[in-house]
Amino acid sequence: MGLAPVTTPPAATPPAITASDAAASDAAGRTVRLGLRENRLQFTLLVIVNVCVGGLVGLERTTVPLIGSETFGLTSAPAVFSFIIAFGLTKALTNLAAGALTARFHRKRLLVTGWLIGVPVPFALAWAPSWGWIVAANVLLGLNQGLTWSMTVTMKIDLVGPARRGLATGLNEAAGYTAVGTTALITGYLATGYGLRPVPELIGVVFVVAGLALALVVRDTAAHVALELAHHTEPLPSGEDTGLKATFTRTSWRNRSLRGASQAGLVNNLNDGLTWGVFPLLFTDHGLGLAAVGLIKGLYPILWGLGQIPTGHLADRVGRKPLIVHGMLVQAAGLLLALALLDRPLLAGILSAVLLGLGTAMVYPALIASVSDHAHPAWRANALGTYRFWRDIGYAAGALVAGVLADALGLNATVIAAAGLTAVSGLLAARWITEHRPEGQGRRLPRAG
């Protein structure tokens, strides 16, 4: 399928919003409005698409670290965690590229492309003849997740406009991570009855087929972006560079709030990457079976997912910063709790998963909404791509840190190090991030008459 170029109108000083001009038309002549209610059908389709996105990556949460150690006989922690490094690096780079690609190509086309890339993944996980095939499948999975997840969240933000960004991102991430957790739970139980492969991995075929079919149905959101640009209350400063290079620098370091969000996102996913590899090994070493490990690995992202519905809405009410700072500290406490109660491993795993899930639910939608708040619509896609680059490089960093520390100091020391990094990240977020509520947040554009 060819990729059609997108032309975005240049930003200009916006006219006042009136009831007669608060809507526009797309290429097919359909009326375009911003808002969750006004776009509820397309928004719902995108939520379901992200269920499929999360379900595909959830295939790996319980079984793949154990496939490495038990099926392929890997004894080195860095070797076992290499699939997470491959996934994290590829997803991070694809996130960065996705931001730039949205300036040239329709979001829908990128979404469909991501699903086409993901088609081989469940089959490779189910029947890979060597560990190298698993690592290669995770390169494809990283490309798939970088394109599909980036597009679903960006398209939802496009649809709802500035007033409901927190809720939109909360619903998007809730759908994705609830699917991650549910799939991790299901694969754990299937592995108990049918073995580590191939049955648990083949449920991914359902996610690939459904996700691709829905991606072909959903409409593109280019007209919604144009409408928001036309009525944006803060015109693009004269001479401000909206390119990827300038936006990368601005988001990574120059802007204090965007810097604070980027480092918090990185450390948040460092936790996830570390526990993805470490927890199955840690808790099986302490006597838990696959079903129990699946429960722990499923509960964490399920709470992470479902919790983002109220926390995304709360971020629109009380601000982004309180949820980000407190959420990082809750995660640090959850990591320490896993070790404090390790003589009762099931209780330790469940309570740790609860705190990690709730803490991450507080952080995730607030961080994306904060980045959106501080980014002009003309360079928001690149800013989100940069933030998601740093956030998802955390998967690779977490797996690398986990592998090195686990071999040198043991699994317990690895968890302690992650808790310390998370607490420090929360304090940095408190220092760097400021609230910025753009005009229009908390109110909706008037309907066209």
Side-chain angles (χ1 to χ4, degrees):
M1 178 177 291
L3 297 180
V6 174
T7 55
T8 303
T13 303
I17 301 174
T18 66
S20 62
D21 65 4
S25 297
D26 63 12
R30 292 181 291 258
T31 300
V32 172
R33 296 186 180 89
L34 302 181
L36 182 57
R37 181 181 301 173
E38 292 79 357
N39 297 285
R40 55 188 177 274
L41 177 58
Q42 294 301 309
F43 193 95
T44 301
L45 288 175
L46 286 167
V47 167
I48 299 171
V49 170
N50 217 44
V51 168
C52 299
V53 176
L56 189 60
V57 74
L59 292 176
E60 300 198 325
R61 289 289 168 140
T62 302
T63 60
V64 174
L66 298 173
I67 290 171
S69 61
E70 296 182 14
T71 303
F72 293 109
L74 301 179
T75 57
S76 164
V80 173
F81 301 155
S82 60
F83 80 98
I84 305 174
I85 296 173
F87 169 80
L89 285 174
T90 307
K91 185 169 187 274
L93 291 170
T94 306
N95 286 337
L96 189 60
L101 287 170
T102 55
R104 297 185 59 197
F105 304 114
H106 286 298
R107 281 125 158 91
K108 174 177 176 175
R109 298 298 179 88
L110 295 173
L111 180 63
V112 171
T113 300
W115 276 116
L116 291 173
I117 292 170
V119 169
V121 170
F123 302 101
L125 295 177
W127 288 297
S130 68
W131 184 247
W133 282 68
I134 299 290
V135 175
N138 273 271
V139 172
L140 293 179
L141 183 62
L143 290 167
N144 161 266
Q145 295 287 302
L147 287 175
T148 56
W149 209 308
S150 293
M151 291 308 105
T152 56
V153 70
T154 301
M155 292 170 79
K156 287 186 182 72
I157 290 172
D158 294 344
L159 290 172
V160 303
R164 292 290 181 268
R165 283 181 189 144
L167 179 58
T169 54
L171 289 169
N172 184 78
E173 304 302 287
Y177 283 101
T178 301
V180 172
T182 303
T183 307
L185 184 62
I186 293 171
T187 55
Y189 280 100
L190 288 174
T192 301
Y194 299 96
L196 290 171
R197 298 195 302 168
V199 173
E201 291 76 24
L202 289 179
I203 61 175
V205 177
V206 177
F207 295 127
V208 169
V209 171
L212 179 57
L214 289 171
L216 291 168
V217 171
V218 74
R219 295 175 188 164
D220 192 71
T221 57
H224 295 81
V225 178
L227 177 60
E228 184 181 350
L229 274 170
H231 298 298
H232 194 64
T233 58
E234 297 176 12
L236 185 68
S238 177
E240 183 169 85
D241 192 344
T242 63
L244 176 59
K245 182 178 179 180
T247 303
F248 184 88
T249 303
R250 188 182 300 127
T251 306
S252 302
W253 184 254
R254 283 176 51 200
N255 184 294
R256 281 170 59 94
S257 291
L258 294 176
R259 179 204 317 162
S262 294
Q263 66 82 27
L266 187 152
V267 175
N268 181 90
N269 276 19
L270 180 146
N271 289 340
D272 190 26
L274 183 143
T275 60
W276 185 352
V278 167
F279 273 20
L281 303 179
L282 178 68
F283 289 114
T284 53
D285 282 351
H286 284 77
L288 295 186
L290 283 171
V293 172
L295 174 62
I296 294 167
K297 292 301 298 173
L299 186 60
Y300 167 25
I302 286 173
L303 291 174
W304 170 357
L306 292 176
Q308 289 181 86
I309 299 175
T311 60
H313 182 64
L314 191 61
D316 289 332
R317 297 287 183 175
V318 305
R320 324 305 192 191
K321 184 173 178 176
L323 290 170
I324 294 167
V325 174
H326 290 96
M328 296 302 288
L329 297 178
V330 169
Q331 289 178 57
L335 289 164
L336 293 176
L337 194 60
L339 299 181
L341 300 175
L342 202 50
D343 57 336
R344 302 172 68 183
L346 183 58
L347 178 64
I350 289 175
L351 292 180
S352 176
V354 168
L355 287 185
L356 285 169
L358 293 177
T360 308
M362 295 167 68
V363 167
Y364 238 63
L367 281 172
I368 296 178
S370 179
V371 172
S372 297
D373 291 344
H374 288 85
H376 191 279
W379 50 271
R380 182 196 299 145
N382 278 335
L384 285 170
T386 300
Y387 160 72
R388 288 168 63 82
F389 166 81
W390 288 118
R391 190 190 71 184
D392 288 339
I393 209 75
Y395 283 121
L400 185 60
V401 168
V404 172
L405 290 182
D407 271 2
L409 302 173
L411 296 174
N412 289 20
T414 304
V415 176
I416 291 171
L421 283 172
T422 305
V424 170
S425 177
L427 297 178
L428 287 175
R431 178 175 178 82
W432 286 340
I433 295 176
T434 59
E435 297 291 357
H436 175 68
R437 291 176 177 262
E439 180 127 1
Q441 186 175 321
R443 67 180 179 86
R444 294 166 61 191
L445 290 174
R447 294 176 181 237

